[in-house]
Amino acid sequence: NIKVLLGLRQSTKEKETLESQDNLIQALAIPYENIYTVNADTCESICYRMGQVMQDRYGEKFAVGNYEENISSYVDNDVFEEDRPLFSKLRSVSDILQLLKDKKTYSFNYRVFRNHQIHYFECQLVKPNPVRNEFVIGFKNTDEKIRRQLKQIHEMEMQREIIEGIGSEYYSVLLVNPETDSATVYRAQDEDGRAIAEYFHRHHYCWSKS
């Protein structure tokens, strides 16, 4: 009877572990186009989700296969050459386990060179639980996010150049954003310029209150 009871308890615990693992995979899979579970004992990689681009390029080869062979094929064929060193610790399962030894997740951004264009991606590793000797790896395209950030940086740089160009001729230069009803002080020279800057400071840099 005791053996039977112990067996039931172990089964329940294993079921809870599997459910916990599945919840983590689903949570990770939401924003990731490509996601795989990897058995660290057998090095077997099983696809949980595969985007259309990866299906067209690798098809069934990446559905189930040897993780180390698949990741090396992906890095050598798709990843931008300058970013391949980022995957140095991801080519080996043993290195990944060491990487996740003291942390549950590990992520980084990298670039893919495909069809004569640069695309931006993020890779994330997740160790679902310490009981099962496996991990989850996901990849997602971040083109839209990165290009939006690059555009913002470019616009800010242009604004800075314009402001610096006219700044020398004016004792006070303000950048007004109508959408946020805010004013940023870029130049406050002499007594009048400092007075204007102090005024906006007192009004929390709100343009409509000026």
mmCIF file of all heavy atoms in Angstrom, residues 115-148:
data_model
loop_
_atom_site.group_PDB
_atom_site.id
_atom_site.type_symbol
_atom_site.label_atom_id
_atom_site.label_comp_id
_atom_site.label_asym_id
_atom_site.label_seq_id
_atom_site.Cartn_x
_atom_site.Cartn_y
_atom_site.Cartn_z
ATOM 1 N N ASN A 115 18.202 37.557 -47.932
ATOM 2 C CA ASN A 115 17.714 38.251 -49.127
ATOM 3 C C ASN A 115 18.351 39.634 -49.270
ATOM 4 O O ASN A 115 17.679 40.622 -49.600
ATOM 5 C CB ASN A 115 16.184 38.380 -49.084
ATOM 6 C CG ASN A 115 15.495 37.027 -49.085
ATOM 7 O OD1 ASN A 115 15.978 36.068 -49.679
ATOM 8 N ND2 ASN A 115 14.375 36.939 -48.387
ATOM 9 N N HIS A 116 19.642 39.686 -48.969
ATOM 10 C CA HIS A 116 20.425 40.914 -49.104
ATOM 11 C C HIS A 116 19.950 42.027 -48.166
ATOM 12 O O HIS A 116 20.158 43.210 -48.426
ATOM 13 C CB HIS A 116 20.391 41.425 -50.551
ATOM 14 C CG HIS A 116 20.791 40.395 -51.563
ATOM 15 N ND1 HIS A 116 22.101 39.929 -51.676
ATOM 16 C CD2 HIS A 116 20.062 39.707 -52.473
ATOM 17 C CE1 HIS A 116 22.149 39.024 -52.639
ATOM 18 N NE2 HIS A 116 20.934 38.863 -53.128
ATOM 19 N N GLN A 117 19.299 41.637 -47.071
ATOM 20 C CA GLN A 117 18.821 42.611 -46.100
ATOM 21 C C GLN A 117 19.163 42.181 -44.673
ATOM 22 O O GLN A 117 19.263 40.985 -44.386
ATOM 23 C CB GLN A 117 17.304 42.791 -46.196
ATOM 24 C CG GLN A 117 16.831 43.612 -47.386
ATOM 25 C CD GLN A 117 15.340 43.874 -47.318
ATOM 26 O OE1 GLN A 117 14.558 43.020 -46.910
ATOM 27 N NE2 GLN A 117 14.929 45.078 -47.712
ATOM 28 N N ILE A 118 19.325 43.186 -43.806
ATOM 29 C CA ILE A 118 19.550 42.927 -42.387
ATOM 30 C C ILE A 118 18.208 42.898 -41.668
ATOM 31 O O ILE A 118 17.382 43.798 -41.842
ATOM 32 C CB ILE A 118 20.446 44.017 -41.756
ATOM 33 C CG1 ILE A 118 21.870 43.927 -42.291
ATOM 34 C CG2 ILE A 118 20.457 43.896 -40.236
ATOM 35 C CD1 ILE A 118 22.630 42.706 -41.822
ATOM 36 N N HIS A 119 17.982 41.858 -40.873
ATOM 37 C CA HIS A 119 16.780 41.749 -40.044
ATOM 38 C C HIS A 119 17.216 41.593 -38.586
ATOM 39 O O HIS A 119 18.241 40.987 -38.298
ATOM 40 C CB HIS A 119 15.929 40.551 -40.475
ATOM 41 C CG HIS A 119 15.456 40.623 -41.894
ATOM 42 N ND1 HIS A 119 14.340 41.326 -42.277
ATOM 43 C CD2 HIS A 119 15.980 40.090 -43.025
ATOM 44 C CE1 HIS A 119 14.183 41.221 -43.585
ATOM 45 N NE2 HIS A 119 15.160 40.466 -44.065
ATOM 46 N N TYR A 120 16.406 42.135 -37.697
ATOM 47 C CA TYR A 120 16.740 42.121 -36.271
ATOM 48 C C TYR A 120 15.916 41.059 -35.543
ATOM 49 O O TYR A 120 14.702 40.942 -35.757
ATOM 50 C CB TYR A 120 16.488 43.499 -35.661
ATOM 51 C CG TYR A 120 17.325 44.585 -36.289
ATOM 52 C CD1 TYR A 120 16.855 45.305 -37.388
ATOM 53 C CD2 TYR A 120 18.594 44.887 -35.792
ATOM 54 C CE1 TYR A 120 17.628 46.295 -37.980
ATOM 55 C CE2 TYR A 120 19.367 45.876 -36.379
ATOM 56 C CZ TYR A 120 18.880 46.573 -37.475
ATOM 57 O OH TYR A 120 19.644 47.548 -38.055
ATOM 58 N N PHE A 121 16.614 40.316 -34.656
ATOM 59 C CA PHE A 121 15.961 39.237 -33.919
ATOM 60 C C PHE A 121 16.371 39.249 -32.449
ATOM 61 O O PHE A 121 17.371 39.861 -32.074
ATOM 62 C CB PHE A 121 16.329 37.877 -34.522
ATOM 63 C CG PHE A 121 15.544 37.506 -35.746
ATOM 64 C CD1 PHE A 121 15.882 38.030 -36.982
ATOM 65 C CD2 PHE A 121 14.465 36.650 -35.655
ATOM 66 C CE1 PHE A 121 15.168 37.701 -38.117
ATOM 67 C CE2 PHE A 121 13.740 36.306 -36.788
ATOM 68 C CZ PHE A 121 14.092 36.826 -38.027
ATOM 69 N N GLU A 122 15.576 38.551 -31.665
ATOM 70 C CA GLU A 122 15.912 38.333 -30.257
ATOM 71 C C GLU A 122 15.853 36.837 -29.981
ATOM 72 O O GLU A 122 14.940 36.141 -30.446
ATOM 73 C CB GLU A 122 14.930 39.057 -29.334
ATOM 74 C CG GLU A 122 15.191 38.800 -27.849
ATOM 75 C CD GLU A 122 14.162 39.454 -26.960
ATOM 76 O OE1 GLU A 122 14.106 40.704 -26.950
ATOM 77 O OE2 GLU A 122 13.395 38.734 -26.284
ATOM 78 N N CYS A 123 16.827 36.346 -29.238
ATOM 79 C CA CYS A 123 16.859 34.936 -28.834
ATOM 80 C C CYS A 123 16.718 34.869 -27.323
ATOM 81 O O CYS A 123 17.342 35.660 -26.608
ATOM 82 C CB CYS A 123 18.174 34.284 -29.273
ATOM 83 S SG CYS A 123 18.412 32.600 -28.656
ATOM 84 N N GLN A 124 15.908 33.943 -26.856
ATOM 85 C CA GLN A 124 15.761 33.773 -25.412
ATOM 86 C C GLN A 124 15.789 32.301 -25.035
ATOM 87 O O GLN A 124 15.142 31.466 -25.671
ATOM 88 C CB GLN A 124 14.469 34.397 -24.892
ATOM 89 C CG GLN A 124 14.324 34.267 -23.371
ATOM 90 C CD GLN A 124 13.212 35.122 -22.820
ATOM 91 O OE1 GLN A 124 12.312 35.513 -23.516
ATOM 92 N NE2 GLN A 124 13.270 35.407 -21.534
ATOM 93 N N LEU A 125 16.551 32.010 -24.000
ATOM 94 C CA LEU A 125 16.624 30.664 -23.429
ATOM 95 C C LEU A 125 15.869 30.652 -22.112
ATOM 96 O O LEU A 125 15.978 31.594 -21.320
ATOM 97 C CB LEU A 125 18.072 30.264 -23.170
ATOM 98 C CG LEU A 125 18.949 29.915 -24.374
ATOM 99 C CD1 LEU A 125 20.408 29.933 -23.963
ATOM 100 C CD2 LEU A 125 18.576 28.548 -24.916
ATOM 101 N N VAL A 126 15.116 29.586 -21.878
ATOM 102 C CA VAL A 126 14.369 29.455 -20.633
ATOM 103 C C VAL A 126 14.544 28.039 -20.097
ATOM 104 O O VAL A 126 14.385 27.068 -20.840
ATOM 105 C CB VAL A 126 12.864 29.735 -20.827
ATOM 106 C CG1 VAL A 126 12.124 29.534 -19.511
ATOM 107 C CG2 VAL A 126 12.643 31.141 -21.355
ATOM 108 N N LYS A 127 14.887 27.939 -18.832
ATOM 109 C CA LYS A 127 14.953 26.640 -18.173
ATOM 110 C C LYS A 127 13.651 26.468 -17.411
ATOM 111 O O LYS A 127 13.454 27.094 -16.366
ATOM 112 C CB LYS A 127 16.153 26.570 -17.225
ATOM 113 C CG LYS A 127 16.372 25.182 -16.631
ATOM 114 C CD LYS A 127 17.636 25.163 -15.781
ATOM 115 C CE LYS A 127 17.878 23.749 -15.228
ATOM 116 N NZ LYS A 127 19.098 23.697 -14.406
ATOM 117 N N PRO A 128 12.720 25.658 -17.908
ATOM 118 C CA PRO A 128 11.390 25.552 -17.305
ATOM 119 C C PRO A 128 11.389 25.169 -15.830
ATOM 120 O O PRO A 128 10.688 25.757 -15.042
ATOM 121 C CB PRO A 128 10.693 24.485 -18.147
ATOM 122 C CG PRO A 128 11.412 24.510 -19.442
ATOM 123 C CD PRO A 128 12.845 24.811 -19.088
ATOM 124 N N ASN A 129 12.176 24.166 -15.476
ATOM 125 C CA ASN A 129 12.216 23.742 -14.069
ATOM 126 C C ASN A 129 13.509 22.971 -13.829
ATOM 127 O O ASN A 129 14.127 22.457 -14.762
ATOM 128 C CB ASN A 129 10.999 22.873 -13.727
ATOM 129 C CG ASN A 129 10.920 21.631 -14.592
ATOM 130 O OD1 ASN A 129 11.707 20.716 -14.447
ATOM 131 N ND2 ASN A 129 9.960 21.614 -15.519
ATOM 132 N N PRO A 130 13.922 22.901 -12.561
ATOM 133 C CA PRO A 130 15.184 22.226 -12.260
ATOM 134 C C PRO A 130 15.094 20.705 -12.250
ATOM 135 O O PRO A 130 16.117 20.021 -12.171
ATOM 136 C CB PRO A 130 15.515 22.749 -10.854
ATOM 137 C CG PRO A 130 14.183 23.038 -10.250
ATOM 138 C CD PRO A 130 13.317 23.533 -11.373
ATOM 139 N N VAL A 131 13.882 20.165 -12.345
ATOM 140 C CA VAL A 131 13.708 18.716 -12.255
ATOM 141 C C VAL A 131 14.017 18.033 -13.580
ATOM 142 O O VAL A 131 14.782 17.069 -13.652
ATOM 143 C CB VAL A 131 12.279 18.375 -11.799
ATOM 144 C CG1 VAL A 131 12.087 16.852 -11.758
ATOM 145 C CG2 VAL A 131 12.003 18.994 -10.435
ATOM 146 N N ARG A 132 13.431 18.571 -14.651
ATOM 147 C CA ARG A 132 13.612 17.966 -15.967
ATOM 148 C C ARG A 132 14.855 18.549 -16.632
ATOM 149 O O ARG A 132 15.047 19.757 -16.668
ATOM 150 C CB ARG A 132 12.382 18.213 -16.842
ATOM 151 C CG ARG A 132 11.109 17.623 -16.263
ATOM 152 C CD ARG A 132 9.911 18.010 -17.110
ATOM 153 N NE ARG A 132 9.992 17.459 -18.451
ATOM 154 C CZ ARG A 132 9.560 16.248 -18.764
ATOM 155 N NH1 ARG A 132 9.039 15.469 -17.845
ATOM 156 N NH2 ARG A 132 9.652 15.814 -20.012
ATOM 157 N N ASN A 133 15.676 17.712 -17.186
ATOM 158 C CA ASN A 133 16.937 18.146 -17.786
ATOM 159 C C ASN A 133 16.698 18.615 -19.226
ATOM 160 O O ASN A 133 17.073 17.945 -20.187
ATOM 161 C CB ASN A 133 17.954 17.005 -17.752
ATOM 162 C CG ASN A 133 19.362 17.510 -18.025
ATOM 163 O OD1 ASN A 133 19.673 18.669 -17.779
ATOM 164 N ND2 ASN A 133 20.205 16.640 -18.547
ATOM 165 N N GLU A 134 16.057 19.782 -19.355
ATOM 166 C CA GLU A 134 15.743 20.312 -20.666
ATOM 167 C C GLU A 134 15.612 21.827 -20.581
ATOM 168 O O GLU A 134 15.581 22.407 -19.498
ATOM 169 C CB GLU A 134 14.455 19.707 -21.216
ATOM 170 C CG GLU A 134 13.244 20.016 -20.368
ATOM 171 C CD GLU A 134 11.996 19.318 -20.863
ATOM 172 O OE1 GLU A 134 12.109 18.457 -21.742
ATOM 173 O OE2 GLU A 134 10.914 19.637 -20.366
ATOM 174 N N PHE A 135 15.530 22.446 -21.738
ATOM 175 C CA PHE A 135 15.373 23.887 -21.783
ATOM 176 C C PHE A 135 14.531 24.267 -22.987
ATOM 177 O O PHE A 135 14.267 23.442 -23.875
ATOM 178 C CB PHE A 135 16.733 24.593 -21.834
ATOM 179 C CG PHE A 135 17.585 24.228 -23.011
ATOM 180 C CD1 PHE A 135 17.478 24.918 -24.215
ATOM 181 C CD2 PHE A 135 18.504 23.177 -22.935
ATOM 182 C CE1 PHE A 135 18.265 24.576 -25.307
ATOM 183 C CE2 PHE A 135 19.285 22.839 -24.025
ATOM 184 C CZ PHE A 135 19.171 23.528 -25.209
ATOM 185 N N VAL A 136 14.097 25.509 -23.018
ATOM 186 C CA VAL A 136 13.296 26.040 -24.121
ATOM 187 C C VAL A 136 14.078 27.174 -24.760
ATOM 188 O O VAL A 136 14.691 27.982 -24.066
ATOM 189 C CB VAL A 136 11.937 26.567 -23.618
ATOM 190 C CG1 VAL A 136 11.142 27.182 -24.773
ATOM 191 C CG2 VAL A 136 11.144 25.461 -22.946
ATOM 192 N N ILE A 137 14.074 27.236 -26.091
ATOM 193 C CA ILE A 137 14.740 28.320 -26.803
ATOM 194 C C ILE A 137 13.765 28.927 -27.800
ATOM 195 O O ILE A 137 13.060 28.204 -28.509
ATOM 196 C CB ILE A 137 16.032 27.840 -27.512
ATOM 197 C CG1 ILE A 137 16.750 29.021 -28.176
ATOM 198 C CG2 ILE A 137 15.748 26.724 -28.506
ATOM 199 C CD1 ILE A 137 18.161 28.691 -28.638
ATOM 200 N N GLY A 138 13.684 30.257 -27.813
ATOM 201 C CA GLY A 138 12.745 30.942 -28.689
ATOM 202 C C GLY A 138 13.420 32.042 -29.492
ATOM 203 O O GLY A 138 14.414 32.632 -29.048
ATOM 204 N N PHE A 139 12.892 32.317 -30.672
ATOM 205 C CA PHE A 139 13.421 33.355 -31.553
ATOM 206 C C PHE A 139 12.255 34.211 -32.037
ATOM 207 O O PHE A 139 11.221 33.677 -32.435
ATOM 208 C CB PHE A 139 14.115 32.745 -32.771
ATOM 209 C CG PHE A 139 15.185 31.747 -32.431
ATOM 210 C CD1 PHE A 139 14.874 30.404 -32.227
ATOM 211 C CD2 PHE A 139 16.509 32.146 -32.310
ATOM 212 C CE1 PHE A 139 15.864 29.477 -31.923
ATOM 213 C CE2 PHE A 139 17.507 31.237 -32.011
ATOM 214 C CZ PHE A 139 17.178 29.896 -31.803
ATOM 215 N N LYS A 140 12.431 35.530 -32.033
ATOM 216 C CA LYS A 140 11.386 36.400 -32.570
ATOM 217 C C LYS A 140 11.992 37.559 -33.354
ATOM 218 O O LYS A 140 13.068 38.057 -33.048
ATOM 219 C CB LYS A 140 10.483 36.942 -31.458
ATOM 220 C CG LYS A 140 11.130 37.930 -30.519
ATOM 221 C CD LYS A 140 10.094 38.461 -29.533
ATOM 222 C CE LYS A 140 10.728 39.411 -28.515
ATOM 223 N NZ LYS A 140 9.741 39.938 -27.569
ATOM 224 N N ASN A 141 11.267 37.971 -34.374
ATOM 225 C CA ASN A 141 11.684 39.091 -35.216
ATOM 226 C C ASN A 141 11.346 40.398 -34.505
ATOM 227 O O ASN A 141 10.225 40.599 -34.058
ATOM 228 C CB ASN A 141 10.957 39.018 -36.563
ATOM 229 C CG ASN A 141 11.432 40.075 -37.530
ATOM 230 O OD1 ASN A 141 11.267 41.262 -37.291
ATOM 231 N ND2 ASN A 141 12.009 39.645 -38.638
ATOM 232 N N THR A 142 12.341 41.289 -34.408
ATOM 233 C CA THR A 142 12.133 42.572 -33.741
ATOM 234 C C THR A 142 12.376 43.735 -34.702
ATOM 235 O O THR A 142 12.719 44.836 -34.281
ATOM 236 C CB THR A 142 13.065 42.709 -32.517
ATOM 237 O OG1 THR A 142 14.442 42.564 -32.935
ATOM 238 C CG2 THR A 142 12.746 41.673 -31.464
ATOM 239 N N ASP A 143 12.212 43.478 -36.000
ATOM 240 C CA ASP A 143 12.442 44.505 -37.014
ATOM 241 C C ASP A 143 11.674 45.789 -36.720
ATOM 242 O O ASP A 143 12.247 46.889 -36.717
ATOM 243 C CB ASP A 143 12.025 43.991 -38.400
ATOM 244 C CG ASP A 143 13.180 43.322 -39.131
ATOM 245 O OD1 ASP A 143 14.331 43.500 -38.704
ATOM 246 O OD2 ASP A 143 12.932 42.614 -40.117
ATOM 247 N N GLU A 144 10.384 45.651 -36.489
ATOM 248 C CA GLU A 144 9.540 46.829 -36.282
ATOM 249 C C GLU A 144 9.994 47.644 -35.073
ATOM 250 O O GLU A 144 10.114 48.874 -35.139
ATOM 251 C CB GLU A 144 8.082 46.400 -36.104
ATOM 252 C CG GLU A 144 7.118 47.566 -35.995
ATOM 253 C CD GLU A 144 5.673 47.123 -35.888
ATOM 254 O OE1 GLU A 144 5.394 45.927 -36.152
ATOM 255 O OE2 GLU A 144 4.821 47.956 -35.558
ATOM 256 N N LYS A 145 10.270 46.962 -33.981
ATOM 257 C CA LYS A 145 10.701 47.636 -32.752
ATOM 258 C C LYS A 145 12.042 48.337 -32.947
ATOM 259 O O LYS A 145 12.197 49.513 -32.591
ATOM 260 C CB LYS A 145 10.805 46.611 -31.626
ATOM 261 C CG LYS A 145 11.365 47.162 -30.336
ATOM 262 C CD LYS A 145 11.523 46.066 -29.297
ATOM 263 C CE LYS A 145 12.198 46.574 -28.038
ATOM 264 N NZ LYS A 145 12.394 45.484 -27.041
ATOM 265 N N ILE A 146 13.024 47.628 -33.508
ATOM 266 C CA ILE A 146 14.364 48.194 -33.675
ATOM 267 C C ILE A 146 14.350 49.344 -34.670
ATOM 268 O O ILE A 146 14.978 50.393 -34.431
ATOM 269 C CB ILE A 146 15.354 47.113 -34.129
ATOM 270 C CG1 ILE A 146 15.483 46.019 -33.054
ATOM 271 C CG2 ILE A 146 16.717 47.733 -34.417
ATOM 272 C CD1 ILE A 146 16.023 46.515 -31.730
ATOM 273 N N ARG A 147 13.637 49.177 -35.778
ATOM 274 C CA ARG A 147 13.610 50.244 -36.784
ATOM 275 C C ARG A 147 12.897 51.480 -36.239
ATOM 276 O O ARG A 147 13.262 52.621 -36.595
ATOM 277 C CB ARG A 147 12.952 49.748 -38.065
ATOM 278 C CG ARG A 147 13.727 48.624 -38.733
ATOM 279 C CD ARG A 147 13.247 48.314 -40.124
ATOM 280 N NE ARG A 147 13.835 47.072 -40.615
ATOM 281 C CZ ARG A 147 15.096 46.951 -41.030
ATOM 282 N NH1 ARG A 147 15.901 47.986 -41.000
ATOM 283 N NH2 ARG A 147 15.544 45.775 -41.464
ATOM 284 N N ARG A 148 11.905 51.289 -35.391
ATOM 285 C CA ARG A 148 11.236 52.422 -34.757
ATOM 286 C C ARG A 148 12.198 53.164 -33.827
ATOM 287 O O ARG A 148 12.242 54.398 -33.798
ATOM 288 C CB ARG A 148 10.008 51.949 -33.986
ATOM 289 C CG ARG A 148 9.186 53.086 -33.390
ATOM 290 C CD ARG A 148 7.854 52.594 -32.864
ATOM 291 N NE ARG A 148 8.007 51.590 -31.837
ATOM 292 C CZ ARG A 148 7.678 50.321 -31.983
ATOM 293 N NH1 ARG A 148 7.186 49.895 -33.132
ATOM 294 N NH2 ARG A 148 7.830 49.458 -30.992
#
